[in-house]
């Protein structure tokens, strides 16, 4: 059957609301003539009816690549993005299409609905402007992402209308950081001109023209929304690295969206992590020795002693605060601790602890005689 016959039969199936058959017939026609943009645009419409917006966006992008002036391709893309609640991406496509078809009210009506949803999401009438705070990289800038440090193994499979025709040629993986998801497609020696990547609010569309002439498509609906204008990709010799900037700092449990996915959890960013519990430790703590010494001195000063202890303390305080002459007088006249005076080569114990004087002029020029207390006798010991 010729391409034109397949196209005619597909349109008839679409009118009869047999959308599955229409997609199948359009696919056969595309296999025969993949350069005709109308086939992709019409298959996109059938996919929209089947509630396959991701496939519809892929078809619309292919139609736009073949004919950038095709207004209905932008309408298909805008409609599919709207169904995925990607209102900003939808509005951008619709505004481009409206410029190509000024009299078509379908564009203006959908743009108005997009504005309403955008205002509702951002809490104001104008769409929130994204600020690109990501560092510059040597790559084609389309949008960027914030990475999450936990590697994740992908079990996702290819999506898109061509996935049933040819098996995926390239393995892909991803990992994430608190504000970014990095997708790596392991495609070696692919020229940058043969790689086309498009970013939507929750769509990643990758098209790679392989050296053998085959075309590889990878178009997942992402787990969460991204910031398309900040996302980036870089074509390297061994791989293609795609950075997706998250719209929210949430943990993605997978790369692709799933209705049964667990509720995403907010990620603690740097500086907001909860305090770790403290446990008893045997680690030595720093000691302020000056503070400790001052505390001991204060305790000694405030200490209340009795008897000989009080007397000794009194003598120590006098000696400590005295000038040099006073100390010499005290040392000569009285034995304080182990202090003694050397005289003529012998240890001179002058008063044997019975006299204490603080006047050096008085005791310095004479021998201080011992004076025992009343009722006691002074004796000298021979060694």
């Amino acid at each position: 059957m010729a391409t034109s016959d397949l196209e005619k039969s597909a349109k008839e199936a679409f009118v009869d609301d047999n959308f599955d058959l229409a997609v199948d017939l359009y696919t056969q026609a595309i296999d025969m003539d993949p350069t005709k943009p109308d086939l992709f645009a019409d298959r996109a419409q059938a996919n929209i009816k089947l509630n396959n917006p991701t496939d519809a966006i892929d078809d619309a992008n292919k139609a736009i690549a073949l004919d950038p002036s095709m207004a209905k391709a932008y309408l298909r893309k805008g409609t599919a993005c709207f169904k995925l609640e990607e209102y900003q991406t939808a509005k951008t496509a619709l505004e481009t299409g409206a410029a190509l078809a000024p009299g078509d009210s379908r564009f203006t009506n959908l743009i108005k609905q997009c504005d309403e949803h955008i205002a509702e999401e951002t809490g104001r009438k104008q769409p929130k402007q994204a600020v690109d705070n990501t560092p510059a990289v040597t790559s084609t800038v389309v949008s960027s992402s914030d990475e999450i440090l936990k590697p994740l193994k992908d079990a996702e499979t290819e999506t898109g209308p061509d996935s049933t025709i040819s098996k995926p040629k390239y393995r892909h993986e991803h990992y994430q950081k608190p504000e970014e998801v990095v997708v790596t497609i392991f495609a070696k020696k692919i020229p940058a001109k043969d790689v086309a990547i498009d970013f939507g609010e929750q769509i990643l569309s990758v098209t790679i023209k392989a050296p053998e002439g085959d075309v590889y498509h990878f178009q997942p609906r992402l787990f969460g929304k991204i910031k398309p204008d900040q996302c980036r990709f870089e074509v390297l010799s061994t791989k293609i690295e795609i950075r997706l900037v998250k719209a929210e700092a949430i943990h993605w449990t997978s790369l692709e969206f799933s209705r049964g996915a667990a509720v995403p959890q907010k990620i603690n960013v740097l500086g907001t992590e909860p305090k770790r519990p403290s446990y008893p430790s045997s680690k030595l703590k720093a000691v302020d020795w000056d503070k400790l010494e001052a505390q001991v001195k204060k305790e000694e000063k405030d200490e209340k002693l009795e008897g000989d202890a009080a007397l000794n303390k009194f003598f120590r305080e006098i000696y400590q605060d005295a000038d040099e002459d006073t100390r010499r007088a005290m040392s000569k006249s009285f034995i304080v601790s182990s202090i003694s005076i050397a005289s003529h080569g012998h240890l001179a114990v002058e008063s044997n602890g019975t006299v204490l004087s603080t006047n050096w002029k008085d005791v310095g020029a004479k021998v201080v005689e011992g004076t025992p207390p009343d009722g006691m006798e002074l004796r000298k010991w021979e060694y």
Side-chain angles (χ1 to χ4, degrees), residues 7 18 31 40 85 105 126-127 154 156 161 163 167 177 180 235 260 271 276 292 295 335-337 369:
E7 184 179 6
N18 194 345
D31 290 341
F40 288 103
E85 298 181 357
S105 61
Q126 294 300 325
D154 289 331
E156 296 85 7
S163 60
K167 294 181 180 180
K177 294 179 180 178
E180 181 181 64
V235 181
R276 293 183 179 180
L292 183 60
Q295 183 178 351
I335 299 175
V336 180
S337 298
E369 298 293 340

Side-chain angles (χ1 to χ4, degrees), residues 119-194:
E120 183 179 338
E121 283 186 346
T122 59
R124 54 184 182 179
K125 293 301 180 181
Q126 294 300 325
K128 183 178 180 181
Q129 297 298 318
V131 179
D132 188 355
N133 291 324
T134 57
V137 295
T138 308
S139 62
T140 304
V141 177
V142 188
S143 74
S144 164
S145 61
D146 299 37
E147 303 173 351
I148 312 170
L149 295 174
K150 184 178 178 182
L152 298 171
K153 184 176 180 181
D154 289 331
E156 296 85 7
T157 57
E158 293 297 321
T159 59
D162 295 328
S163 60
T164 57
I165 300 173
S166 60
K167 294 181 180 180
K169 291 181 178 293
Y170 306 113
R171 179 174 61 90
H172 69 275
E173 293 180 352
H174 79 279
Y175 67 91
Q176 53 182 308
K177 294 179 180 178
E179 298 175 346
E180 181 181 64
V181 176
V182 179
V183 181
T184 302
I185 299 176
F186 296 94
K188 296 182 179 180
K189 299 180 180 179
I190 302 296
K193 63 181 180 63
D194 293 335

Side-chain angles (χ1 to χ4, degrees), residues 102-124:
D104 195 332
S105 61
R106 291 176 297 176
F107 287 104
T108 54
N109 290 337
L110 278 173
I111 290 172
K112 183 179 179 181
Q113 293 181 50
C114 287
D115 285 334
E116 291 174 355
H117 285 286
I118 291 170
E120 183 179 338
E121 283 186 346
T122 59
R124 54 184 182 179

